[in-house]
Amino acid sequence: MVEIRADHQAGFIAGYSLIQGMTMSTRVVLYVAAIGVFAALPTVAQAKHKGPVTEQTQVNPAKFDGTWRGAWGGSAPTVISINGGKVTSYTYTGTSVPIGQTTTSGNTLSFGSGYTVTLTLAAPNRATAQYTGSQGRSTASLIKS
């Protein structure tokens, strides 16, 4: 059984009376605002965790190491070679393309020089790739050999 002290009971009754005097639409706005406040509060897990909480599982950049083969849009062959978590070569339809800087974050690896290619691990030997650049956008399914 819940015990309500007299001073808390008086506050509860005053608050209840205030809410009863509101229109239904005002009550809905108040309830939605309260839900937003509670949703923004840190969870117990976040409060106990000393660092930032991320939803991504960190992946060792070396998991990308190997030669990835696929085709942009299903028809333009591409090969991406990665060593030590860094892209060492990239070919598009058999032609070598400048690589630029490689970055990794979680289960993604990105590189490019005037374009961006982002690989996202789907399984240990499978990835999806997204190209964005002057040629537009394209996707590819890649297999590591």
Side-chain angles (χ1 to χ4, degrees):
M1 184 169 193
V2 176
E3 176 183 336
I4 300 176
R5 294 184 17 208
D7 55 339
H8 289 107
Q9 187 174 10
F12 175 78
I13 291 170
Y16 182 77
S17 296
L18 179 66
I19 290 172
Q20 290 301 315
M22 294 179 184
T23 66
M24 181 57 80
S25 61
T26 303
R27 282 188 227 163
V28 169
V29 169
L30 181 63
Y31 293 142
V32 170
I35 290 169
V37 168
F38 285 111
L41 294 175
T43 64
V44 173
Q46 288 172 322
K48 290 182 181 179
H49 186 70
K50 299 295 182 195
V53 176
T54 61
E55 293 184 20
Q56 282 188 341
T57 302
Q58 293 300 316
V59 173
N60 180 346
K63 292 221 177 192
F64 289 98
D65 288 0
T67 301
W68 295 86
R69 298 175 192 281
W72 293 112
S75 61
T78 189
V79 179
I80 303 168
S81 296
I82 303 170
N83 188 9
K86 303 287 183 195
V87 176
T88 56
S89 72
Y90 168 50
T91 60
Y92 169 71
T93 62
T95 303
S96 182
V97 180
I99 299 164
Q101 184 176 348
T102 303
T103 59
T104 58
S105 176
N107 66 342
T108 62
L109 176 143
S110 297
F111 68 95
S113 178
Y115 63 91
T116 302
V117 172
T118 302
L119 276 71
T120 303
L121 289 178
N125 294 326
R126 294 191 183 276
T128 58
Q130 175 78 37
Y131 166 89
T132 305
S134 63
Q135 303 298 316
R137 294 178 154 221
S138 189
T139 59
S141 294
L142 305 175
I143 297 175
K144 183 168 69 169
S145 55

